[in-house]
Amino acid sequence: MKNKKIIFICIFIISFIIIISFFNYKKQNSGNNISKSITDYKQNILNISSYEATISVEITSNKNTNKYIIKQWYNSPNSFKQEVQVPENIKGLITLYDGSNLEIQNTNLNLSKIYKDYNCLSNNILSLNSFIQDLRESESECIETEDETIIEIKTKKKYAWYKRLSISKVSGKPTKMEILDENKNILVYILYNEITINSTNKENIM
C-alpha cells in the first residue's frame, strides 16, 4: 500500500507539470461543422461551446522535450476531462473538473484524489477553451497561408506570452496550437489528431 501511495504521488506531480506548469459562448447551429468563410474564423473559434479531441503534445524545457498523447473533453462553461494515453507510465491518468472540484484518478491503481473548490484549471494552456478565453481578452491577428488561417494572440502570461492556433481552410477546424515564450520560441506544440466541435454534452464528460 505504501508503494502505491508513492507511485500515486509521483504520477500526481507529473500530471500537475502537464496541467498547471505549462497550463473557459454561444453554441453554433452547425453542429460539428464550422463556417469556412475566412472572415468568420475568429468568431467561429469564439463560438465553440464544446469539443472532444485527441491531441499529441510536445512540451519543451531547457533540458529536454517530453511527448504525450492526451484525450480531452470540454463543455462550456467549465466542465473538463483529460486522460493521458501516452506515455505508458502515466497511461490512464484522468483529470476531471466540474467547475468547482478537481479529481485526479489513476485507473491503473484504482486511486483517486478530490480537491474541492479548485479554480486553477482556467489556466490549463493545453486546452482549447483556454485559448478561446485568451482570444476574448487579448490582442490578436490573423495570418493567412495557402491551407490555413493562423490566429495569434499576445497574452503576456508567464510561460505563454504568445499562442497560435492554426485552422484548416478545408474543414474549418483547428489543426495545431503553439504556445511560445516572449522570444517566440515554442514551449508547447499541440497537434489535433482528431477533434469534434460542438457536440459534446456534459454527460459525456462527467
Side-chain angles (χ1 to χ4, degrees):
M1 187 63 185
K2 183 178 180 181
N3 289 336
K4 285 188 175 182
K5 289 183 177 179
I6 294 173
I7 293 172
F8 178 74
I9 291 172
C10 292
I11 292 176
F12 178 77
I13 293 172
I14 293 170
S15 172
F16 264 46
I17 290 174
I18 300 172
I19 299 168
I20 303 298
S21 298
F22 284 106
F23 246 129
N24 143 71
Y25 342 130
K26 297 177 183 179
K27 198 163 187 175
Q28 268 185 265
N29 294 327
S30 55
N32 292 344
N33 298 317
I34 297 179
S35 169
K36 297 182 178 63
S37 171
I38 294 175
T39 58
D40 290 340
Y41 276 117
K42 181 177 177 180
Q43 191 59 46
N44 285 333
I45 295 301
L46 290 173
N47 284 342
I48 292 176
S49 60
S50 69
Y51 75 89
E52 180 178 336
T54 300
I55 62 175
S56 296
V57 181
E58 293 185 8
I59 299 176
T60 301
S61 64
N62 293 331
K63 296 182 179 180
N64 53 35
T65 297
N66 296 307
K67 298 181 179 182
Y68 308 87
I69 296 178
I70 297 172
K71 187 72 178 286
Q72 294 179 334
W73 298 260
Y74 166 75
N75 182 269
S76 179
N78 46 26
S79 297
F80 184 77
K81 179 180 179 180
Q82 180 168 279
E83 180 176 355
V84 178
Q85 298 181 335
V86 174
E88 189 67 27
N89 62 325
I90 56 171
K91 181 179 180 180
L93 184 68
I94 296 175
T95 302
L96 281 169
Y97 186 65
D98 62 5
S100 177
N101 302 316
L102 171 70
E103 182 176 3
I104 306 292
Q105 300 177 354
N106 181 345
T107 57
N108 290 330
L109 297 179
N110 293 319
L111 296 173
S112 67
K113 179 70 175 179
I114 297 176
Y115 298 85
K116 295 186 178 296
D117 301 322
Y118 192 89
N119 60 4
C120 292
L121 279 186
S122 59
N123 297 320
N124 178 5
I125 64 174
L126 297 183
S127 65
L128 180 58
N129 48 299
S130 175
F131 180 92
I132 295 170
Q133 184 62 35
D134 286 336
L135 181 58
R136 295 182 187 277
E137 300 171 353
S138 307
E139 299 176 19
S140 65
E141 63 175 324
C142 289
I143 303 166
E144 298 291 337
T145 70
E146 182 178 353
D147 300 320
E148 296 179 322
T149 295
I150 302 169
I151 301 176
E152 180 176 288
I153 56 178
K154 187 176 183 180
T155 69
K156 289 189 176 180
K157 292 181 178 178
K158 189 176 182 181
Y159 301 121
W161 278 61
Y162 299 92
K163 294 182 179 182
R164 290 178 184 155
L165 183 70
S166 297
I167 305 161
S168 169
K169 289 183 178 180
V170 175
S171 67
K173 296 180 181 181
T175 59
K176 65 181 178 182
M177 181 163 64
E178 297 169 323
I179 315 298
L180 305 97
D181 64 15
E182 58 185 315
N183 297 314
K184 292 197 172 182
N185 299 311
I186 297 176
L187 300 174
V188 180
Y189 178 86
I190 298 171
L191 180 66
Y192 291 94
N193 302 321
E194 299 176 6
I195 184 165
T196 303
I197 302 296
N198 290 345
S199 63
T200 301
N201 298 320
K202 186 174 181 179
E203 291 73 19
N204 301 135
I205 301 174
M206 310 310 294

